Amino acid sequence: MKALLNQNKNTIKGIIVILLLVAALWYISLLIVKERTQDLMSLIKVQVAEQGALLTSIAETTARNGADQVTESVVRDCTVEERTTFDTLLGQLDAGLPRADLVELERLFGRCGSFYAERKLVMSSRLDREIEVYENYVNQLAELTNNRELEEYNLDTWKQLAEQEKMLSTDFSKLVDLQDNIISTLLEGKTRDSEEIQSILREVKDTNDNLIITNAQTATIRSELITL
């Protein structure tokens, strides 16, 4: 009987040791998981900060209707000489141009006319793509933190800014098309006072009015994110 009791005691001790060992391993695994989670959170926070800085840079450049190196490598302007001639002729269009100058302006329009609108489009698209990357990082962080303290990343405001920039880009492109239409219509022999030209000019005015409103709205949203 005594031997049986000793055996039971040893068995119980063995079970207790195993349980303590399992508990210790479980606790150590929790610490490892917690440490790895903290490391991952730190890494993602760095990525979020770097991506936020990139968004700020793109937003500032876009606000000035400028372009970063990526966009400059994609969208090329015409030559300096062509640009000078084009801007001069375009500036004189309202006053009236001889047919020879209109022909030259139309030729240059294909090379120079859409440059700024295309650059605006690329910058707008670039901002939109980089916000998608930013959103991915923020969502990862949200999963790790159970959505705590995520308002500081202003994701919804960044998305609003991207939408506004798309609207501005659309109107810029529309103005380019309208300018091209004016030149083509004048080359067809229509005068500035013709209904065809006046109709186009009304569209130009409406588009410019939209640009003014959209630009003001965009500036307001942008000011919530950055200070220019």
Side-chain angles (χ1 to χ4, degrees), residues 134-135 153-162 221 225:
Y134 184 73
E135 181 179 17
Y153 298 110
N154 299 311
L155 182 58
D156 289 340
T157 308
W158 278 113
K159 288 183 177 181
Q160 290 176 20
L161 180 63
I221 295 172
L225 298 166

Side-chain angles (χ1 to χ4, degrees), residues 161-196:
L161 180 63
E163 288 302 316
Q164 291 293 125
E165 290 292 355
K166 287 179 185 177
M167 292 170 61
L168 287 173
S169 176
T170 298
D171 281 341
F172 274 123
S173 296
K174 185 175 181 179
L175 281 179
V176 171
D177 291 339
L178 291 172
Q179 286 178 337
D180 193 21
N181 287 343
I182 289 173
I183 297 168
S184 299
T185 304
L186 289 173
L187 281 172
E188 291 172 359
K190 303 297 181 181
T191 65
R192 179 177 174 79
D193 295 330
S194 67
E195 177 55 32
E196 290 84 353

Side-chain angles (χ1 to χ4, degrees), residues 9-89:
K9 287 181 180 179
N10 291 333
T11 301
I12 293 172
K13 288 180 180 179
I15 292 173
I16 292 173
V17 169
I18 292 173
L19 290 175
L20 290 173
L21 181 60
V22 170
L25 291 174
W26 177 76
Y27 181 70
I28 291 172
S29 67
L30 283 181
L31 291 178
I32 293 174
V33 170
K34 183 178 180 180
E35 182 179 355
R36 289 180 177 176
T37 301
Q38 290 295 332
D39 290 343
L40 181 58
M41 284 177 56
S42 298
L43 174 61
I44 295 176
K45 283 184 177 181
V46 170
Q47 292 173 324
V48 168
E50 291 177 347
Q51 190 67 16
L54 177 60
L55 291 181
T56 297
S57 176
I58 294 174
E60 290 175 340
T61 303
T62 306
R64 298 190 296 269
N65 292 324
D68 56 17
Q69 290 184 345
V70 174
T71 302
E72 287 180 348
S73 67
V74 174
V75 183
R76 300 283 187 177
D77 195 7
C78 51
T79 67
V80 175
E81 182 180 355
E82 288 174 327
R83 170 58 61 187
T84 300
T85 303
F86 174 77
D87 289 344
T88 299
L89 291 175

Side-chain angles (χ1 to χ4, degrees), residues 110-158:
R111 298 178 58 81
C112 310
S114 63
F115 169 70
Y116 293 107
E118 288 178 359
R119 193 168 68 171
K120 181 73 172 179
L121 174 61
V122 173
M123 287 297 294
S124 173
S125 299
R126 180 158 158 69
L127 177 64
D128 192 47
R129 287 194 301 272
E130 296 300 341
I131 288 175
E132 289 180 0
V133 175
Y134 184 73
E135 181 179 17
N136 181 51
Y137 289 147
V138 171
N139 286 340
Q140 290 181 48
L141 197 57
E143 292 178 3
L144 294 173
T145 61
N146 295 320
N147 296 313
R148 294 194 308 272
E149 301 178 3
L150 293 182
E151 291 184 1
E152 63 183 283
Y153 298 110
N154 299 311
L155 182 58
D156 289 340
T157 308
W158 278 113

